[in-house]
Amino acid sequence: MEQFTEARVTFYHPIIFWLGLTSVVIGTGMHIPIFLDAASMNYMMANMPMTKTMLAGMALIIAGTIATAYGLYPRKIVAGRMSTADAVSYTIHAMDDAPLSREHWKLLLALTFALIIDVMKPATLGFVMPGMAIEYGLSKHEVAILPFFALIGTAVGSVVWGLLGDAIGRRASLLLAAVMFIGTSICGAMPTFAWNVFMCIMMGLSAGGLLPVTFTLLAETIPRKQRGGLSVLIGGIGAVGGYIAASGFAALLEPHFGWRVMWFLGLPTGLIVIALNRYIPESPRFLAQCGRVTEAMHVLQRFGASVTAREAAYSHNTQAHVLFVKSDITRLFKPPFTVLTFGLTGAGLAWGLVNFGFLLWLPANLQTLGLSTTASDTLLAQSALFAFPPVIFVAWMYHVWGTKRTLALFAGLLAITLLLFSTFSNAGLSEKWLPPLVTALLISSSGLIAMLFPYAAEVVPNGLRGTGSGLIAGSSKAGGVLALSVAMTSALPGIALSALIVAIPTALSALLVQLHGIETRNMRLEDIELEMRAKKKDVSDPVN
């Protein structure tokens, strides 16, 4: 067997990629002096004209983004092809059984940072909206248009980038999202609210792409024994870290530079993600699927996996069928994935309704129950503090007790908590029951979302993994879009009715996951797919 001395995956058109990135950075940088010139006006730029410099910068950003996309796009003819059976034998199972190495930890740190950036952008909305409302003279309902369209952007971006992850690669998609992150940071210099909304949609498209690609890459590179627990833990750290980053930067920068500076953070954070690309390899499963076996071997050797031992757990034909699955989103709604797809998308939708709906309505609903604004805010803050430590326990349960059972359990706990809210509210909710109920709500919802994306990345087969992860991620944002659309109409339902409405899809998703999910703990990804297809009693025929 050939010994592979290089341990990297290069860009397909490196010169074009770096020229395109330079163009995006320059175009973004051309807006910064214009922003700084507004210091004498407290950095308020409302209704200022679009200058020629700004228009030229936007042209450079568009051209540069197209160039980087081309630089990342794979060549149609790939050297170093190997037969399908050999590709499976030499690459797939070895990655699952490799020891957790220093290279794995570098990858984990790099992807954790990407997740923090993904979470930070939606969290930033809450910190820019007050200043934006003042500068543009908007009411609360008018300024709510911004997060509404931002969530639409992230929902669409999750699906689009999931499809891209299966088409051009996980690493390439992540880097392209980072490039768009940089370019859309010029939102901080946009003179009108309409331009801000448009750029926020584009920013959402890029931010929405980081999450599904990250969890797909984690599932395909982390050894099977540590895959579940580490993925859930990183998801929890990313969620907490993103909010801490958004609130910290807001406290540090907004008093001096106003709300607009929060958007410009996309420039340095996007560059950091691109700089970390040296620690982010392409998935060996994706490389082998495309016939780029030499590159797959490079990645395997880099992560300490053996590339000389031949795995013979299954016949070559069966292995080939497991590995090569046609990338088609409609496959997720056909047997054997149909019911589980509805269960996972239902869980994502339910979480979005809880996070952007029930929790959004909760402060107002608590005040209608007789709590003051201060008492309501204090209750929610204390409950959030108590809810944080159990997230670590969730990762332990997912890793030790079981993936399917833990996910179904927390979805069920969320449904039960919502039903208790509805029942006690109808009977007259006393203050002594509020703290434990709110804490239980936050624990169950945060636990559900921490497990949902890692689990989706495990049960969806290779060739569809990015697409499936993107669909589930998009469903969680779609729940937020639905909740915000109700909030924008001021038609806020009471606490009893809203809890009951959200509890129904949550309970249904818990039931579907429990009945039709697959236990993935310590299993190879290809073995998970075989078990999924065994439900259809069709192990011999390829999924295409």
Side-chain angles (χ1 to χ4, degrees), residues 47 111 286 308 355 399 478:
N47 300 318
L111 294 182
F286 174 81
T308 57
N355 192 63
H399 175 65

Side-chain angles (χ1 to χ4, degrees), residues 226-308:
Q226 295 88 10
R227 183 180 63 227
L230 284 176
S231 296
V232 173
L233 183 61
I234 287 173
I237 293 174
V240 175
Y243 189 83
I244 291 175
S247 59
F249 281 122
L252 181 66
L253 299 176
E254 280 200 49
H256 305 288
F257 300 99
W259 63 270
R260 292 177 177 273
V261 73
M262 296 297 291
W263 293 137
F264 279 112
L265 291 175
L267 174 58
T269 53
L271 285 174
I272 292 174
V273 172
I274 293 173
L276 291 173
N277 87 86
R278 62 180 298 179
Y279 305 118
I280 303 175
E282 184 55 87
S283 164
R285 285 179 167 84
F286 174 81
L287 293 170
Q289 179 186 344
C290 297
R292 291 153 48 194
V293 178
T294 300
E295 291 175 279
M297 297 301 182
H298 291 165
V299 177
L300 285 169
Q301 190 177 62
R302 171 177 174 174
F303 284 88
S306 170
V307 295
T308 57

Side-chain angles (χ1 to χ4, degrees), residues 46-61:
N47 300 318
M48 291 178 60
M50 296 283 286
T51 66
K52 293 181 179 180
T53 301
M54 294 172 69
L55 294 174
M58 293 174 72
L60 284 174
I61 291 170

Side-chain angles (χ1 to χ4, degrees), residues 94-151:
M95 196 70 179
D96 278 320
D97 295 322
L100 198 63
S101 67
R102 183 178 179 182
E103 292 299 318
H104 285 107
W105 287 111
K106 291 178 182 177
L107 172 65
L108 289 170
L109 290 174
L111 294 182
T112 299
F113 182 83
L115 279 179
I116 289 174
I117 298 306
D118 179 83
V119 174
M120 187 181 78
K121 279 305 171 185
T124 298
L125 290 168
F127 297 98
V128 303
M129 286 170 59
M132 185 179 291
I134 293 173
E135 181 170 343
Y136 291 111
L138 302 172
S139 67
K140 290 183 178 180
H141 296 301
E142 289 172 330
V143 78
I145 293 174
L146 186 75
F148 176 74
F149 281 102
L151 275 179

Side-chain angles (χ1 to χ4, degrees), residues 10-15 70-79 81 167-168 290 292 295:
T10 59
F11 297 112
Y12 305 105
H13 310 282
I15 295 177
Y70 179 77
L72 292 167
Y73 198 82
R75 296 186 180 97
K76 293 183 179 180
I77 300 176
V78 183
R81 285 187 176 273
I168 68 173
C290 297
R292 291 153 48 194
E295 291 175 279

Side-chain angles (χ1 to χ4, degrees), residues 112 114 145 155 157 223 337-338 483 490:
T112 299
I145 293 174
F337 312 112
T338 313
S490 301

